[in-house]
Amino acid sequence: MTVAFLIGSLLLLLAIRVPVAIALGLSSVLTLALFGDQSLLSLAQQFFHAMEVYPLLAVPFFILAGTFLTTGGVAKRLIAFAIAITGRVRGGLAMASVLACALFAAISGSSPATVVAVGSITIAGMVGAGYRREYATGVVTSAGTLAILIPPSIVMVVYGAITETSVGALFIAGIVPGVLLTALMMAAIYLTAGRAALPRQSSASSREIGRAARDAFWGLLLIVLVLGGIYGGVFTPTEAAAVSAVYAAVVAVFVHRDVKVRDVPKVLVESVRVTTMLMFIVANAYLFAFVLTTEQIPQTIVASVLAADLPPWAFLLLVNVVLLAAGTLMDPTSVVLILAPILFPIATQLGIDPVHLGIVIVVNMEIGLVHPPVGLNLFVASAVSGLPVTSVIWASLPWLALLLGFLVVITYVPALSLVLPRFMLGG
Amino acid sequence: MTLRALDRVEDFLTAALLAAMTLLTFLQVVLRYAFNSGLVWVLEATVYLFGWLVLVGISNGVRTGSHLAVDVITKHLSPRAQKATALTAIALSLLYVALMLIGSFTLVRRLYAFGNLAHDIPLPRWILLSSLPIGFALLGLRLVQAAMGIARGTAPPAAHGGRDEPARPAAAERGE
């Protein structure tokens, strides 16, 4: 009864376009008022708790860093570097776009931001070099999803916070799958380049490669700084986020000088907007998780799953189906926040590693970003490339198939996600 | 009702809070590695600054329409039905605001009665946590403002926030 009311009221509120954050909060508050004995005071405390969870402090910092990097010319220089090293291979420019997305993903945690930063330059570049606009857009739309798999990743921060899983371990776990997916995407372009009649570029001399690398130095150094700093135990993911925000600001304003000092407030205001939008959902998700816990809802589901004698592989299949279905309605962060507190206890009972579950969820969210009807990357790519959304959807379909295949591999080969964290953290 | 001055105060305040949080956390890292020391109050201060940032920023998000909502169903409705559902959605959102406002007001009043200070900051907790009632009150104000715009027909029936797609690439940095 309680579950039915909680989920039913949530779906009803979402259907009439109550903002996701408020729908989560109101359905939780009403459920507790009707069935529980918690006071409104404790709900207010629970809401504020979201701001006290240390890993979540990384969210505003990573967003601020991302906004500086997108506004400034770091992306442009990373792209030039990627183009220089892919050389004169057929389809080289498309492969460079994938590589540029991966590099940018290693300093930014947001997928739509990556599509904007890389796509606004490389789509026009590819079209100018003779690629079909649809092809160019499809490549960037899909490669942009690497941002949430390759650390740092805001989705990982949110998953780690709500399930109390180490964000550092999740970041490390994302590296092997991230590199693998980048390689797969580039290989797919390489193998189909002949049939798709992709053009080739003139090759860059070693001196040009050197110059491109020097220009991209500050961006590449940030990758080393953030990832090296976290893995070397120099700082926590939250501190790494603050350091990269200050670093990105200094590089954009004083080194590359493509953000003027008087534009800094605008960057701050834009980052505040994204941060509060996200944190409002997170804070209400804590209310939702609070209701789940006090009403012992996951335990009930766990009991029935265990009673059904579901093997872990079947459970993981179920997880993927549920996540993909939810991803057709809502944005990735909301999906993670609603479903992770339910799925997590079941997975732990079945002996599935929390870090592995996190990576499976993140790859699901990557797919959610590029599949219709609400895949955010599709709309962002449409805005960046000037193509109608329907064309972007068609152009991304082959990549969607690749991602689905990759999801199967990640789901059933846990070693890909776990080998690096086990090796580095000894866990 | 334009509330222009409030718009500017909100923007300025939240931007300053974000800058302060970032610099404080950065300073802590520098102090630890360069001077092998640290300031005990930084973490707690950052948490309360974050609270103010988020709570003041939420109402700001209603004004700029940046809160996500699901529009798969409502976009197929007639304009009149869209207006009706939008106003219903705002009414329900106001119910949420009212309940949270009661909860946070009770919390702050109780903290005021106890009068205890924060751990490392020499300020009473009720002042630091009054971001809760103030934030929810501002949110209620903005929701009423949005409802009036929709009722008069001067704003589209989604002015309470909630598009599922960014209107412009600059709004795209959504954190996914």
Side-chain angles (χ1 to χ4, degrees):
Chain A
M1 184 60 210
T2 320
V3 191
F5 181 82
L6 179 68
I7 307 289
S9 60
L10 173 65
L11 292 179
L12 196 68
L13 291 169
L14 287 175
I16 60 166
R17 206 172 178 173
V18 172
V20 177
I22 296 182
L24 270 169
L26 185 58
S27 57
S28 312
V29 178
L30 289 179
T31 306
L32 282 183
L34 294 175
F35 303 98
D37 51 1
Q38 301 292 329
S39 65
L40 289 173
L41 179 150
S42 62
L43 283 171
Q45 269 174 325
Q46 199 61 32
F47 183 94
F48 196 81
H49 179 63
M51 270 64 77
E52 299 171 321
V53 177
Y54 181 70
L56 283 175
L57 281 173
V59 169
F61 303 150
F62 276 133
I63 288 171
L64 181 59
T67 314
F68 269 114
L69 293 167
T70 316
T71 317
V74 173
K76 197 169 64 194
R77 292 169 174 87
L78 286 176
I79 292 162
F81 174 65
I83 292 173
I85 60 175
T86 46
R88 58 189 301 272
V89 191
R90 192 181 275 282
L93 210 47
M95 290 163 72
S97 303
V98 173
L99 186 60
C101 282
L103 289 174
F104 196 73
I107 49 176
S108 151
S110 159
S111 179
T114 306
V115 173
V116 172
V118 178
S120 54
I121 300 170
T122 61
I123 293 176
M126 281 190 269
V127 171
Y131 287 79
R132 285 190 8 261
R133 184 174 290 273
E134 285 78 8
Y135 185 88
T137 310
V139 168
V140 178
T141 311
S142 321
T145 66
L146 285 167
I148 61 171
L149 181 59
I150 296 179
S153 152
I154 291 173
V155 175
M156 284 182 194
V157 171
V158 168
Y159 170 85
I162 199 121
T163 63
E164 297 182 352
T165 305
S166 153
V167 175
L170 286 165
F171 278 9
I172 298 176
I175 295 179
V176 172
V179 171
L180 182 65
L181 184 55
T182 310
L184 276 176
M185 286 179 160
M186 290 174 73
I189 293 170
Y190 183 77
L191 293 175
T192 55
R195 216 177 27 177
L198 299 181
R200 55 176 93 215
Q201 261 41 64
S202 55
S203 63
S205 70
S206 53
R207 187 195 296 164
E208 281 167 331
I209 295 177
R211 190 186 310 137
R214 231 181 7 260
D215 283 347
F217 173 78
W218 295 104
L220 296 171
L221 183 65
L222 184 55
I223 301 179
V224 178
L225 193 75
V226 170
L227 300 192
I230 296 173
Y231 310 146
V234 179
F235 30 59
T236 63
T238 302
E239 289 172 342
V243 170
S244 65
V246 173
Y247 178 97
V250 169
V251 168
V253 177
F254 299 108
V255 181
H256 292 156
R257 292 164 192 247
D258 30 30
V259 175
K260 295 191 187 67
V261 176
R262 67 162 185 275
D263 292 332
V264 171
K266 245 183 278 173
V267 174
L268 285 167
V269 167
E270 181 62 33
S271 308
V272 165
R273 205 151 286 165
V274 183
T275 303
T276 50
M277 184 276 296
L278 204 60
M279 284 307 297
F280 191 32
I281 301 179
V282 172
N284 284 293
Y286 270 95
L287 295 185
F288 189 75
F290 182 61
V291 180
L292 290 177
T293 322
T294 53
E295 301 303 313
Q296 307 230 328
I297 293 168
Q299 286 83 337
T300 321
I301 304 178
V302 169
S304 57
V305 169
L306 291 180
D309 218 11
L310 205 61
W313 69 264
F315 171 72
L316 282 172
L317 185 68
L318 194 69
V319 166
N320 285 327
V321 172
V322 169
L323 286 170
L324 290 175
T328 61
L329 289 174
M330 265 178 293
D331 66 289
T333 320
S334 310
V335 173
V336 172
L337 285 166
I338 295 172
L339 290 178
I342 301 178
L343 297 173
F344 184 81
I346 310 175
T348 333
Q349 282 287 321
L350 293 173
I352 296 163
D353 191 287
V355 173
H356 179 223
L357 180 71
I359 301 297
V360 169
I361 289 182
V362 167
V363 176
N364 263 295
M365 295 305 103
E366 281 193 82
I367 295 170
L369 284 168
V370 291
H371 82 60
V374 297
L376 192 53
N377 279 20
L378 298 170
F379 297 97
V380 177
S382 157
V384 170
S385 68
L387 281 177
V389 176
T390 33
S391 314
V392 182
I393 292 174
W394 283 110
S396 308
L397 273 187
W399 297 104
L400 189 57
L402 178 85
L403 281 169
L404 281 169
F406 181 69
L407 173 64
V408 174
V409 175
I410 289 298
T411 308
Y412 292 112
V413 189
L416 287 173
S417 317
L418 298 175
V419 66
L420 208 50
R422 288 212 172 127
F423 173 69
M424 294 181 74
L425 305 173
Chain B
M1 188 157 66
T2 52
L3 299 168
R4 283 281 163 71
L6 183 62
D7 296 356
R8 271 208 296 277
V9 171
E10 284 175 358
D11 273 348
F12 176 80
L13 182 72
T14 51
L17 287 166
L18 179 58
M21 283 174 68
T22 313
L23 291 173
L24 276 177
T25 308
F26 179 71
L27 177 76
Q28 191 77 330
V29 179
V30 172
L31 284 177
R32 188 166 75 232
Y33 282 96
F35 304 99
N36 208 4
S37 73
L39 302 165
V40 277
W41 52 269
V42 163
L43 183 59
E44 195 178 39
T46 312
V47 164
Y48 287 115
L49 291 175
F50 194 27
W52 282 96
L53 164 72
V54 171
L55 280 148
V56 175
I58 291 170
S59 62
N60 212 328
V62 174
R63 167 166 64 91
T64 53
S66 41
H67 291 301
L68 293 185
V70 178
D71 67 350
V72 225
I73 297 168
T74 49
K75 72 178 170 198
H76 299 295
L77 299 174
S78 70
R80 228 165 116 190
Q82 279 196 26
K83 195 166 162 174
T85 45
L87 289 173
T88 317
I90 296 185
L92 287 164
S93 303
L94 283 168
L95 172 64
Y96 163 83
V97 170
L99 293 169
M100 293 305 286
L101 198 54
I102 296 172
S104 42
F105 195 71
T106 323
L107 173 68
V108 170
R109 209 177 44 191
R110 185 166 301 176
L111 290 171
Y112 179 75
F114 288 160
N116 47 355
L117 298 180
H119 282 288
D120 305 311
I121 310 172
L123 280 173
R125 291 223 332 134
W126 73 270
I127 292 187
L128 296 167
L129 275 172
S130 54
S131 54
L132 276 169
I134 292 176
F136 283 115
L138 285 171
L139 176 60
L141 178 69
R142 294 300 184 178
L143 284 169
V144 170
Q145 191 187 11
M148 287 171 69
I150 296 172
R152 280 205 215 101
T154 52
H160 52 299
R163 37 176 102 88
D164 234 333
E165 67 224 56
R168 54 188 203 285
E173 158 97 0
R174 276 263 161 83
E176 275 89 20

